Amino acid sequence: MKKLIIANWKMNPSSLKEAQRLFNAVKKASISKKNIRTIICPPFPFLAGITKGRSSVVLGAQDVFWEKKGAYTGEVSCQMLRSLGVSYVMIGHSERRENLKEDSEIVRKKLKTAITEGLNVILCVGEKKRDSDGSYLHFVKEEIISAMKGIKRQDLSKITITYEPIWAISSTKRSKNVTPKDAVEMSIFITRILSTIYSAKLAAKVKVIYGGSADPENTKDYLSNEYIKGLLVGAESLKPARFAKILEVANKV
Ligand code: PGA
């Protein structure tokens, strides 16, 4: 199974020209990396401008609205995304939960619509902090259970869950990173939650990946384990040479 390397550009870069330059660099670096699937998630306004000749990479969006069409000022629908060749969408990123106050109900509605409208979903979950009494496990469990409500078993293969603890996002201190061992444990925990909702066999259809300060130096450590099926990369995905290195390392793992 191909490992997923997802570039989350967030609200970057500032112009279409820069976005195209970055995209072209990633496209070049992705060529003949047969063991990985590279997914680029640029801001909405750049999606249409980088759809041409993207054979080595897949296009994703950072968000989507839960209604299909209509009077929803400022929102973007699944169909709009699909018309641009977008096949993945991120839902529930912690920055949206925090800044836009997206709660579990909103995440659930978006997930459901995206799946029924034929998009693959990258569902982001993760705790704010790790406490010694283990309540972060309960937090992640609740995030998953509420998001998956109403998701049918036949749709599970369209879902990737990113474990992205908020405290490890864009951390400049490497000591603050989640250790690969902790990431693996969480991945197993997430699969176990899914197997209690569905079954062990069905739970295995959902890929679990890791996000939070992933870089060329730690890529191998995270991906060496079969339980981590990919990485969601923020800051380092904006640096063409560093991101190319991540792709190279991931392709060899
Ligand atoms: P980071 O961001 O790689 O800069 O930590 C990851 C994310 O928030 O998607």
Side-chain angles (χ1 to χ4, degrees):
M1 193 195 281
K2 288 186 186 217
K3 300 255 178 186
L4 303 183
I5 305 297
I6 306 171
N8 178 13
W9 289 0
K10 308 193 179 185
M11 201 170 71
N12 300 291
S14 327
S15 70
L16 176 60
K17 230 189 178 117
E18 285 173 85
Q20 282 166 334
R21 213 176 298 137
L22 184 56
F23 184 76
N24 288 335
V26 176
K27 203 169 70 176
K28 211 166 138 204
S30 313
I31 292 171
S32 48
K33 304 265 184 315
K34 303 240 178 309
N35 303 321
I36 54 173
R37 173 172 296 164
T38 309
I39 303 165
I40 307 294
C41 302
F44 287 140
F46 301 149
L47 283 166
I50 55 174
T51 50
K52 283 202 191 83
R54 48 178 183 81
S55 53
S56 60
V57 299
V58 178
L59 217 49
Q62 296 175 20
D63 182 41
V64 73
F65 195 54
W66 63 80
E67 292 292 349
K68 293 180 186 163
K69 64 194 277 193
Y72 303 103
T73 304
E75 297 298 344
V76 170
S77 74
C78 294
Q79 220 179 338
M80 291 173 191
L81 294 176
R82 288 195 56 193
S83 76
L84 297 175
V86 171
S87 48
Y88 282 82
V89 64
M90 283 167 48
I91 290 175
H93 191 283
S94 61
E95 285 153 14
R96 294 198 64 82
R97 293 188 197 247
E98 179 73 21
N99 300 326
L100 282 301
K101 304 288 167 251
E102 289 198 359
D103 59 13
S104 53
E105 176 70 5
I106 290 177
V107 169
R108 190 185 58 72
K109 287 197 284 190
K110 288 186 174 184
L111 175 58
K112 191 136 195 260
T113 305
I115 292 289
T116 41
E117 290 291 291
L119 288 166
N120 295 296
V121 171
I122 302 152
L123 170 68
C124 303
V125 300
E127 76 279 2
K128 273 204 183 80
K129 60 177 189 316
R130 278 213 171 188
D131 29 38
S132 48
D133 64 0
S135 43
Y136 69 94
L137 292 169
H138 180 73
F139 182 86
V140 171
K141 185 176 172 183
E142 287 306 306
E143 277 193 329
I144 293 173
I145 289 175
S146 69
M148 299 298 289
K149 235 173 245 164
I151 298 298
K152 298 198 181 80
R153 45 179 53 211
Q154 66 264 28
D155 290 327
L156 291 177
S157 58
K158 296 178 197 152
I159 299 173
T160 297
I161 295 185
T162 306
Y163 170 55
E164 190 166 63
I166 298 168
W167 52 271
I169 293 178
S170 295
S171 131
T172 43
K173 289 192 208 101
R174 288 297 165 222
S175 56
K176 271 196 75 194
N177 274 13
V178 174
T179 64
K181 186 173 164 282
D182 286 346
V184 166
E185 268 173 25
M186 187 55 95
S187 168
I188 294 169
F189 178 67
I190 289 171
T191 306
R192 186 150 349 122
I193 297 165
L194 293 170
S195 41
T196 57
I197 309 175
Y198 300 94
S199 70
K201 199 168 160 220
L202 289 167
K205 290 184 186 290
V206 179
K207 288 183 244 8
V208 182
I209 69 171
Y210 171 73
S213 302
D215 64 22
E217 289 74 35
N218 59 29
T219 292
K220 187 165 182 251
D221 293 339
Y222 286 121
L223 296 184
S224 295
N225 196 293
E226 57 171 317
Y227 293 102
I228 310 282
K229 306 251 186 311
L231 292 172
L232 179 58
V233 187
E236 297 282 283
S237 72
L238 298 166
K239 304 169 191 160
R242 301 269 296 162
F243 192 63
K245 188 81 194 151
I246 291 178
L247 298 179
E248 192 189 312
V249 176
N251 190 50
K252 281 193 197 138
V253 176

